[in-house]
């Protein structure tokens, strides 16, 4: 009987009151407007019709309306009622009070965020037309992207990269126990078309997110199924086709949302076909592709490339699918299930194809097998406003990852096939609790368990005989158990103080196969803890002036890739397992200021300094007393990951936005970072993942249906003397200076984008990237960037 009453209570719908939110300039409905109240904790978001149900806000005095690109509005319920439940929002170029989720896991005003957060809206994504999620991050102008091959994209943030950055998708950490210190390409598993909002939190985020969140957190929020607010189902969707000339891209996308009063679902599918990428015609000749390897009559033949601008082989295909189901019986309970699946074709690692040995290409084959990612994610959110919590979220997730590497030396018969799979399980329980108007708590627990399986096969391509070979990793598991607490306190209206702490226990168990390598151990385990904390403030002297500062620590626990991997890091070197590792720790401080002048100019500036201690780095090592072993037929120097270094990174991030007459605006972002790390002999080297200075400047025109944007992307030079020691030996990646040494030249590209909405059902986007056809290779990349690129996409909306 009690259970029946509870079920009846949570499923009885409230008598609805619908509000409509529109732009005061175009009179068009505004989607994704956040309508919220802090006392009590309430929040709803407008659907594609610009509507939301606000019965639960009745008689409240402070109701906030926020949307990226529009001025925030504060109203009482009585004022909203007097206006006939219609709200008109005014566009603005300067966002000082938008809603973010990265800092606390909850929708929160940027007024209360002590760290720098960059937001990329769905509108900006549509204009930029990124091919992959890596290109999406690059469009922010604040994330540097490295690419070893076209099927990839490894972000660099504040001098950190790879497994010192954290990826989060719909509240679930994407990093696994085999995320490596070498460049990663997992971000391409995410579909840009499915992004509702993308955020980048700069600096350590370990208090909220745990291990790996040292340089920053990239938070991807995918599309939310939208409910109908009437008896009539809400049916909406879109279909899109896109073509890009630089890689002969053909992309198709389809999504549909069907919503009822309590139930809603959204389905999405995207298909991409990318051909070989064409580089620009004006630039260093070292980047050209004069020849490539082709298999002819059972022999690897070096073939002259008819078009040296074509990067053979670099093409691949990909498919992404998403299915979400949502059940919202009332305004207090929201249950969502999400299914994501992504799979690529085989894709060649281009930077390995341009390595040479004795004047010839080193490899006859080097490619990644299909990269697969699947996620099942169940979230239950409840607004209780009770003694224990104001809001609660339970999130249970399972992810499956598969990746493989296939390589064969030129004119050799032995093909090495190394395959890894990870089953990642996670459970998060997060709460927030208002303690009056001035105080708020955020707390929760997290459990993560990764199961790693790795296999090795060797195939003789002359006979097709397959035998067991050495695996890349041991059979292993990695786990993390944590609890955190964060407090936000407003001693007075203009000041907010935030502090937080997290306790994290991390464990690793591994079983090594000594069949192929004589490791002096067969099993190893790790059981250590890390404590991280943060303290910061936000001070707003006026609505147009914000000062913030934050001191925080972060950590990265050793994972299976650190402790157990065997691989060739570079010709003549082999990395072997090292079970004696502990977490590396980061100590960071940053200071930010933002000011709007006369509603015409906005300037923001952030400076930061990060110290990384006990850094996990590759150093010379011994195995059974030997400093060299035979690896794949080559005598190779033994190395291992060790807690053996200290690194520092400091820099600035700054921007300016200017509102010009007649719908024009000007904006610019600039990033400077300098990193140094300690080498084995105690000397100091520039950090590999601290990119040269870079940025973007944009001139934009906007009216009711048209957006035009002319912009410049640019990056500074990295001279040979400024190159990291480990990069100086990679002649094949860089241009050559007058002294015959490798260096990374500066570059800039001129670009133009246009978006025009003919009517509510049809939109066209287009553009030209790299107008002057510059040939350039972003720092540390293996792939040369696209040359002049014509883009056209057509989108039908229903």
């Amino acid at each position: 009987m009690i259970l029946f009453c509870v079920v009846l209570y949570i499923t009885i719908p409230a008598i609805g009151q619908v509000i409509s939110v529109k732009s005061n300039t175009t009179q068009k409905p505004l989607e994704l407007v956040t309508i919220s109240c802090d006392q009590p904790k309430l929040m709803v978001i407008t659907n594609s019709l610009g509507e939301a149900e606000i019965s639960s806000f009745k008689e409240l005095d402070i109701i906030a309306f926020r949307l990226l690109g529009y001025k925030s509005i504060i109203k009482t319920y009585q004022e909203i009622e007097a206006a006939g439940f219609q709200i008109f929002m005014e566009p603005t170029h300067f966002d000082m009070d938008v809603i973010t989720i990265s800092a606390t896991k909850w929708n929160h005003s940027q007024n209360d965020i002590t760290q720098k957060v960059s937001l990329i809206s769905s509108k900006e994504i549509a204009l930029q037309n990124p091919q992959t999620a890596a290109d999406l991050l690059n469009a922010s102008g604040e994330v540097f992207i490295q690419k070893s091959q076209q099927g990839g994209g490894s972000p660099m943030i504040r001098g950190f990269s790879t497994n010192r950055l954290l990826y989060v998708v719909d509240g679930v950490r994407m990093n696994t126990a085999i995320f490596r210190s070498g460049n990663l390409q997992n971000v391409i598993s995410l579909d840009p078309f499915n992004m509702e909002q993308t955020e980048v939190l700069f600096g350590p985020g370990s208090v909220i997110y745990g291990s790996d969140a040292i340089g920053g957190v990239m938070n991807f929020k995918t599309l939310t199924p939208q409910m109908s607010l009437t008896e009539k189902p809400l049916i909406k969707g879109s279909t899109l086709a896109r073509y890009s000339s630089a890689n002969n891209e053909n992309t198709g996308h389809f999504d549909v949302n069907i919503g009822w009063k309590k139930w809603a679902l959204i389905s999405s599918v995207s298909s991409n076909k990318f051909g070989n990428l064409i580089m620009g015609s004006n630039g260093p000749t070292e980047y050209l592709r004069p020849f490539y390897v082709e298999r002819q009559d059972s022999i690897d033949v070096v073939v002259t490339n008819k078009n040296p601008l074509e990067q053979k082989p670099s093409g691949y295909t990909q498919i992404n699918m998403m299915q979400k189901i949502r059940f919202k019986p009332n305004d207090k309970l929201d249950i969502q299930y999400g299914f994501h699946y992504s799979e690529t074709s085989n894709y060649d690692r281009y930077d390995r194809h341009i390595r040479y040995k004795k004047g010839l290409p080193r490899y006859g084959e080097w490619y990644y097998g299909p990269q697969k990612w699947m996620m099942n994610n169940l979230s239950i959110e409840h607004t209780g406003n009770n003694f224990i919590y104001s809001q609660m979220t339970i999130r249970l997730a399972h992810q499956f990852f598969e990746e493989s590497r296939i390589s064969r030396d030129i004119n050799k018969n032995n093909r090495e096939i190394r395959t890894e799979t990870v089953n990642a399980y996670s459970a998060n329980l997060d709460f927030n609790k208002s303690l009056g108007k001035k105080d708020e708590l955020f707390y929760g627990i997290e459990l993560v368990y990764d199961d790693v399986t790795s296999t090795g096969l060797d195939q003789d391509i002359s006979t097709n005989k397959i035998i067991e070979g050495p695996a890349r990793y041991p059979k292993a598991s990695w786990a993390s158990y944590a609890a955190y607490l964060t407090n936000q306190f407003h001693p007075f209206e203009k000041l907010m103080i935030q502090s937080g702490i997290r306790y994290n226990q991390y464990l690793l168990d591994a079983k090594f196969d000594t069949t192929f390598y004589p490791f002096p151990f067969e099993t190893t385990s790790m059981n250590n803890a890390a404590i991280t904390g943060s303290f910061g403030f936000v001070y707003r002297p006026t609505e147009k002036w914000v000062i913030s500062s934050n001191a925080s620590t972060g950590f990265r626990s050793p994972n299976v890739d650190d402790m157990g991997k065997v691989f060739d890091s570079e010709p003549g070197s082999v990395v072997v397992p090292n079970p004696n590792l502990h977490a590396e720790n980061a100590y960071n401080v940053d200071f930010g200021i933002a000011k709007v002048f006369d509603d015409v100019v906005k300037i923001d500036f952030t400076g930061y300094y990060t110290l990384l201690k006990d850094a996990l780095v590759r150093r010379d090592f011994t195995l059974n007393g030997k400093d060299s072993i035979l690896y794949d037929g080559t005598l190779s120097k033994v190395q291992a990951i060790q807690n053996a270094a200290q690194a520092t990174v400091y820099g600035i991030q700054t921007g300016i936005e200017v509102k010009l007459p007649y719908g024009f605006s000007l904006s610019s972002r600039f990033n400077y970072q300098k990193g140094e790390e300690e080498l084995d002999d105690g000397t100091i080297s520039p950090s590999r993942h601290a990119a040269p200075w870079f940025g973007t400047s944009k001139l934009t025109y906007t009216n009711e249906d048209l957006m035009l944007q002319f912009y410049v992307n640019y990056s500074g030079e990295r001279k040979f003397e400024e190159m990291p020691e480990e990069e100086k030996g990679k002649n094949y990646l860089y241009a050559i200076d007058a002294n015959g040494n490798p260096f990374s030249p500066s570059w800039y590209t001129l670009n133009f984008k246009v978006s025009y909405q003919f009517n509510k059902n049809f939109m066209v986007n287009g553009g030209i990237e790299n107008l002057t056809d510059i040939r350039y290779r972003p720092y540390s990349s293996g792939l040369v960037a696209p040359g002049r690129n014509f883009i056209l996409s057509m989108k039908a909306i229903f």
Side-chain angles (χ1 to χ4, degrees), residues 4-5 29 98 296 323 325 390 443 455 486 505 508 546 601 760:
F4 173 77
C5 293
V98 295
Q296 298 178 2
Q323 178 65 61
I325 301 172
S390 300
Y443 59 100
T455 61
T486 296
Q505 194 79 14
L508 188 153
V546 179
V601 178
K760 66 178 182 179

Side-chain angles (χ1 to χ4, degrees), residues 69-257:
Y70 287 83
K71 289 184 178 179
S72 298
I73 295 175
I74 305 294
K75 295 280 188 181
T76 66
Y77 189 87
Q78 288 74 19
E79 290 171 335
I80 296 170
E81 187 176 31
F85 295 99
Q86 292 196 66
I87 294 292
F88 294 90
M89 298 186 72
E90 179 183 351
T92 180
H93 292 284
F94 313 124
D95 295 303
M96 302 282 280
D97 184 28
V98 295
I99 292 293
T100 72
I101 58 175
S102 296
T104 63
K105 290 190 178 181
W106 297 96
N107 288 283
H108 228 71
S109 167
Q110 206 167 23
N111 286 339
D112 294 331
I113 306 302
T114 61
Q115 292 175 263
K116 176 177 173 58
V117 178
S118 177
L119 286 81
I120 308 172
S121 67
S122 56
K123 185 177 180 180
E124 179 69 14
I125 294 172
L127 176 66
Q128 293 301 325
N129 251 327
Q131 291 187 348
T132 68
D135 299 328
L136 184 161
L137 291 168
N138 189 56
S140 69
E142 297 181 286
V143 179
F144 191 92
I145 299 295
Q146 180 278 351
K147 290 188 178 184
S148 297
Q149 65 280 327
Q150 189 174 191
S154 190
M156 296 183 182
I157 299 175
R158 287 192 174 185
F160 295 100
S161 187
T162 61
N163 54 16
R164 289 174 181 151
L165 302 176
L166 186 69
Y167 302 82
V168 177
V169 184
D170 289 341
V172 179
R173 60 179 290 133
M174 193 181 191
N175 292 39
T176 72
I178 63 170
F179 266 40
R180 58 190 180 275
S181 58
N183 297 307
L184 293 168
Q185 59 267 3
N186 298 76
V187 72
I188 68 167
S189 293
L190 306 178
D191 187 354
F193 292 114
N194 288 339
M195 294 305 151
E196 192 168 278
Q197 183 165 298
T198 302
E199 302 179 12
V200 182
L201 174 74
F202 294 91
S206 289
V207 168
I208 299 296
Y209 295 100
S211 179
D212 303 2
I214 289 180
V217 178
M218 292 159 285
N219 206 320
F220 300 89
K221 182 181 180 183
T222 62
L223 297 171
T224 302
Q226 295 185 2
M227 305 288 187
S228 173
L229 301 178
T230 67
E231 297 298 329
K232 182 180 179 181
L234 172 65
I235 302 176
K236 66 160 197 157
S238 67
T239 182
L240 176 144
R242 183 177 64 206
Y243 173 79
S244 299
S245 63
N247 57 357
N248 198 29
E249 176 210 13
N250 288 279
T251 286
H253 169 78
F254 175 79
D255 65 76
V256 61
N257 181 103

Side-chain angles (χ1 to χ4, degrees), residues 253-268:
H253 169 78
F254 175 79
D255 65 76
V256 61
N257 181 103
I258 304 175
W260 298 270
K261 279 195 167 184
K262 295 181 182 180
W263 291 88
L265 59 86
I266 187 169
S267 304
S268 169

Side-chain angles (χ1 to χ4, degrees), residues 545-557:
W545 189 10
V546 179
I547 301 171
S548 63
S549 185
N550 188 66
S552 57
T553 62
F555 79 99
R556 186 177 76 83
S557 68

Side-chain angles (χ1 to χ4, degrees), residues 19 26 31 49 85 87 126 144 164 186 198 275 309 312-313 353 368 393 407 421 494 574 679 705 716 752 755:
I19 190 171
T26 67
E31 186 178 3
L49 303 177
F85 295 99
I87 294 292
F144 191 92
R164 289 174 181 151
N186 298 76
T198 302
L309 302 180
K312 291 185 177 181
H353 285 283
Y368 290 104
T393 295
S407 63
T421 62
K494 296 181 179 181
V574 59
L679 298 181
D705 298 307
F752 175 75
S755 177

